Amino acid sequence: MTLPVLSSSALLLGLLPLLLGPGAPLAAARRQALWPQPASVQQSPRVLYLSPDSFEIAHGPHSFEDSNCFLLEEAFRRYHEYVFDYFVSSDGHPKSFVGKELQQLLVTITSDSECDAYPNSNSDESYKLVVKEPVATLEAKKVWGALRGLETFSQLVYKDVYGAYIVNQSEVTDSPRFGFRGVLIDTSRHFLPLKTILNTLDAMAFNKFNVLHWHIVDDHSFPYQSWTYPDLSREGAYSPALIYTYTDVKVVIEYARLRGIRVIPEFDTPGHTESWGKGQKDLLTPCYKRSEKTDSFGPVNPILSSTYTFMSNFFKEISRVFPEDYIHLGGDEVDFDCWESNPDVTQFMQQQGFGQDYRKLESYYIQRLIDIVSSTNKGYMVWQEVFDNGVKLKNDTIVEVWIESFYREELQKVTAAGYATVLAAPWYLDYITYGQDWKKYYSVEPLNFVGTEKQKNLVLGGTAALWGEYVDDTNLSPRLWPRASAVAERLWSPQNVRNLDDAYDRLTEHRCRMVRRGIKAQPLFTGYCEM
């Protein structure tokens, strides 16, 4: 199988006007509101003015990066638009202002930029931003830090009472507290149009998230169009129109890359696979009632050699389509009833010496799947049940903790065993309650569990998870934002950034900023956004 070769830049430039439609309204903040709060901010009352006609963002002197970096050039264009809106008077001429002018923001990359690379688990997102007249400077080791610094600069700019764009003289030194800051979207329960996914990536960049956990398939539908097994989506998707083609996937990956965001796909097995069986014969386990075969099927059939041939071919494809170093293999919520009912499975269990412990059968399957994925030189993530059931895991396995009850105890056990972990349990955003539930997410402390410093260093970060049973493109954005923003600050900012009153003030304005940038973020409480 040969996958088509596409130019990422050409792909985006050609498709995005069709995908995104007319430009969203853009406007500067009406007051300063940094979100997430940087590690260190020093500001002066001295104000500098910016003119949209003359201000520019450009490469700084002695930058390691040359002018051929599409990622940075595109970011310079994008953030110039985010900073400024229409800056004209009623007669159509630019407004004048009196005061010191900020003429440029010069961006300097101090080492190998990684401009043409994909972000990864070791990407350096640190930066230093100095805003002073007449030229501001943004210095970062890698392009990823430059992207985060550009977002911070855009948040520093606001309007005075006369409508002029101003920024306080400032110095910001910043880097994230946690390297893994994820948002999970679910495109199986409800298909999400490509435009909605790209809009979500924009919002993630506004909040300095850096991982899109794409739960792409599940029981309900199989929208991923496989080149190796095209019947999976042909039979398993809701509709031939509700699929993600190879081109669609590459657009998402490149759009994310340009914003410093990794795309980790999840193909969850052996459970959550009903849609897989529609397009792949004999993949799922036939269920029995008493001694009679029924018309229903259970999890992936772990006793057939054909299962592992299929998985090997399929994950070889996935490893080529997704450049990310990790693939999420799922492994959660496996219902053993069908396995227990199947006489062939029972016989296999006896032959393997598993007795009646179906967790051992699940572990047998997962272990073989891990070996398959490892052979593609990919790392893997799994849900916590895989660890809980005693599967032999590689040292670099990432265990995602999702069950809210006793999640602190789970963090203690996983890290005590030496495994890196990502926390999702307290940040399931699909649970809706009345009122300002963002405060609940904001108050979580990821390292609040019993363990050594070495154990706590194994907590890579966390994921804000929005599952799709009751979510589609009509309500995804208002359910995610600004509730996910609370998680973003908890994962980026220093541990002592916890004042709820201050957070409310900043988040209220940040939410309005997102709305002005085209994100349909729901309000925190009563009030309005000045447009």
Side-chain angles (χ1 to χ4, degrees), residues 153-335:
F153 177 78
S154 75
Q155 295 183 7
L156 285 170
V157 178
Y158 60 107
K159 283 185 175 182
D160 67 11
V161 294
Y162 302 104
Y165 291 88
I166 58 176
V167 62
N168 289 77
Q169 187 168 290
S170 309
E171 183 171 310
V172 178
T173 303
D174 200 12
S175 60
R177 183 182 176 202
F178 293 99
F180 190 110
R181 305 178 307 283
V183 169
L184 180 150
I185 59 171
D186 172 3
T187 57
S188 174
R189 274 73 178 220
H190 286 96
F191 180 84
L192 296 177
L194 190 56
K195 179 180 177 180
T196 301
I197 298 176
L198 302 185
N199 186 256
T200 300
L201 289 167
D202 280 330
M204 289 174 63
F206 302 154
N207 290 273
K208 296 188 173 76
F209 279 107
N210 67 349
V211 176
L212 177 68
H213 178 161
W214 191 356
H215 187 86
I216 193 166
V217 301
D218 207 292
D219 281 327
H220 310 81
S221 72
F222 198 105
Y224 171 79
Q225 187 179 60
S226 169
W227 286 72
T228 311
Y229 297 100
D231 283 346
L232 288 171
S233 60
R234 188 176 296 145
E235 303 295 332
Y238 284 133
S239 157
L242 303 180
I243 60 171
Y244 302 106
T245 66
Y246 174 75
T247 300
D248 293 334
V249 172
K250 297 309 284 186
V251 167
V252 170
I253 292 170
E254 178 65 4
Y255 199 89
R257 187 187 79 86
L258 294 178
R259 287 151 182 78
I261 297 172
R262 302 158 60 190
V263 179
I264 297 181
E266 181 184 355
F267 291 90
D268 190 0
T269 67
H272 292 278
T273 49
E274 182 179 339
S275 66
W276 298 54
K278 295 176 182 179
Q280 184 62 24
K281 184 180 178 182
D282 298 329
L283 180 64
L284 303 185
T285 306
C287 302
Y288 283 70
K289 188 172 184 180
R290 298 181 180 89
S291 60
E292 298 294 326
K293 185 184 291 188
T294 68
D295 293 330
S296 62
F297 294 87
V300 166
N301 193 331
I303 71 174
L304 301 180
S305 60
S306 59
T307 293
Y308 302 102
T309 300
F310 165 83
M311 292 296 175
S312 179
N313 294 334
F314 181 74
F315 278 101
K316 282 179 182 177
E317 174 189 328
I318 297 305
S319 70
R320 296 178 63 189
V321 172
F322 290 88
E324 165 60 36
D325 293 336
Y326 283 83
I327 299 173
H328 204 302
L329 303 181
D332 64 315
E333 297 182 317
V334 180
D335 187 347

Side-chain angles (χ1 to χ4, degrees), residues 463-480:
T463 300
L466 187 60
W467 296 98
E469 287 88 347
Y470 303 98
V471 175
D472 64 8
D473 66 300
T474 66
N475 65 345
L476 179 134
S477 284
R479 287 207 176 182
L480 258 182

Side-chain angles (χ1 to χ4, degrees), residues 349-367:
M349 293 273 289
Q350 294 171 350
Q351 292 171 349
Q352 295 292 324
F354 294 161
Q356 295 182 343
D357 189 349
Y358 286 86
R359 292 177 303 173
K360 292 182 179 179
L361 180 61
E362 180 189 6
S363 297
Y364 170 86
Y365 166 81
I366 293 288
Q367 189 63 62

Side-chain angles (χ1 to χ4, degrees), residues 16-17 19-26 77 81 86 195 515-518:
L16 287 186
L19 292 168
L20 299 180
L26 301 170
R77 179 204 62 77
E81 290 187 358
Y86 297 104
K195 179 180 177 180
V515 170
R516 290 192 290 269
R517 292 182 181 183

Side-chain angles (χ1 to χ4, degrees), residues 259-523:
R259 287 151 182 78
I261 297 172
R262 302 158 60 190
V263 179
I264 297 181
E266 181 184 355
F267 291 90
D268 190 0
T269 67
H272 292 278
T273 49
E274 182 179 339
S275 66
W276 298 54
K278 295 176 182 179
Q280 184 62 24
K281 184 180 178 182
D282 298 329
L283 180 64
L284 303 185
T285 306
C287 302
Y288 283 70
K289 188 172 184 180
R290 298 181 180 89
S291 60
E292 298 294 326
K293 185 184 291 188
T294 68
D295 293 330
S296 62
F297 294 87
V300 166
N301 193 331
I303 71 174
L304 301 180
S305 60
S306 59
T307 293
Y308 302 102
T309 300
F310 165 83
M311 292 296 175
S312 179
N313 294 334
F314 181 74
F315 278 101
K316 282 179 182 177
E317 174 189 328
I318 297 305
S319 70
R320 296 178 63 189
V321 172
F322 290 88
E324 165 60 36
D325 293 336
Y326 283 83
I327 299 173
H328 204 302
L329 303 181
D332 64 315
E333 297 182 317
V334 180
D335 187 347
F336 296 150
D337 290 346
C338 186
W339 282 353
E340 291 174 355
S341 75
N342 187 294
D344 295 326
V345 172
T346 301
Q347 183 180 7
F348 181 83
M349 293 273 289
Q350 294 171 350
Q351 292 171 349
Q352 295 292 324
F354 294 161
Q356 295 182 343
D357 189 349
Y358 286 86
R359 292 177 303 173
K360 292 182 179 179
L361 180 61
E362 180 189 6
S363 297
Y364 170 86
Y365 166 81
I366 293 288
Q367 189 63 62
R368 293 195 62 174
L369 182 62
I370 285 171
D371 291 341
I372 288 169
V373 173
S374 297
S375 71
T376 68
N377 295 318
K378 294 285 189 181
Y380 56 87
M381 296 180 65
V382 293
W383 295 112
Q384 69 180 70
E385 289 97 321
V386 175
F387 168 80
D388 293 340
N389 291 341
V391 176
K392 185 179 180 181
L393 302 174
K394 289 173 57 183
N395 292 335
D396 62 349
T397 301
I398 299 175
V399 178
E400 189 155 17
V401 174
W402 73 274
I403 300 175
E404 186 165 13
S405 57
F406 309 110
Y407 76 80
R408 294 182 181 87
E409 290 80 354
E410 186 74 9
L411 288 174
Q412 192 278 329
K413 290 190 292 184
V414 171
T415 56
Y419 294 112
T421 186
V422 168
L423 179 62
W427 292 317
Y428 266 42
L429 305 188
D430 48 306
Y431 295 146
I432 303 296
T433 57
Y434 183 78
Q436 299 188 49
D437 58 355
W438 70 270
K439 295 181 179 180
K440 173 180 67 176
Y441 306 129
Y442 190 80
S443 299
V444 172
E445 170 46 51
L447 302 187
N448 184 19
F449 66 93
V450 177
T452 64
E453 182 178 355
K454 182 179 179 181
Q455 285 178 255
K456 296 189 178 187
N457 287 337
L458 290 171
V459 179
L460 304 181
T463 300
L466 187 60
W467 296 98
E469 287 88 347
Y470 303 98
V471 175
D472 64 8
D473 66 300
T474 66
N475 65 345
L476 179 134
S477 284
R479 287 207 176 182
L480 258 182
W481 313 108
R483 298 159 78 235
S485 301
V487 184
E489 179 151 294
R490 183 54 49 238
L491 294 173
W492 178 282
S493 302
Q495 184 176 355
N496 62 358
V497 178
R498 291 193 163 272
N499 186 294
L500 279 173
D501 292 334
D502 174 68
Y504 177 84
D505 289 341
R506 288 185 294 111
L507 188 54
T508 299
E509 177 54 46
H510 180 58
R511 176 258 170 175
C512 288
R513 177 167 52 226
M514 287 194 287
V515 170
R516 290 192 290 269
R517 292 182 181 183
I519 307 301
K520 295 187 180 300
Q522 71 179 18

Side-chain angles (χ1 to χ4, degrees), residues 64-106:
F64 192 94
E65 185 54 64
D66 60 32
S67 60
N68 295 321
C69 178
F70 178 79
L71 184 151
L72 277 182
E73 294 298 326
E74 173 62 17
F76 293 169
R77 179 204 62 77
R78 195 165 66 244
Y79 276 97
H80 195 281
E81 290 187 358
Y82 290 151
V83 168
F84 299 110
D85 60 357
Y86 297 104
F87 192 69
V88 294
S89 61
S90 58
D91 61 3
H93 297 292
K95 295 180 181 178
S96 60
F97 53 81
V98 178
K100 296 294 184 179
E101 181 179 359
L102 185 66
Q103 299 174 356
Q104 285 184 312
L105 171 61
L106 296 182

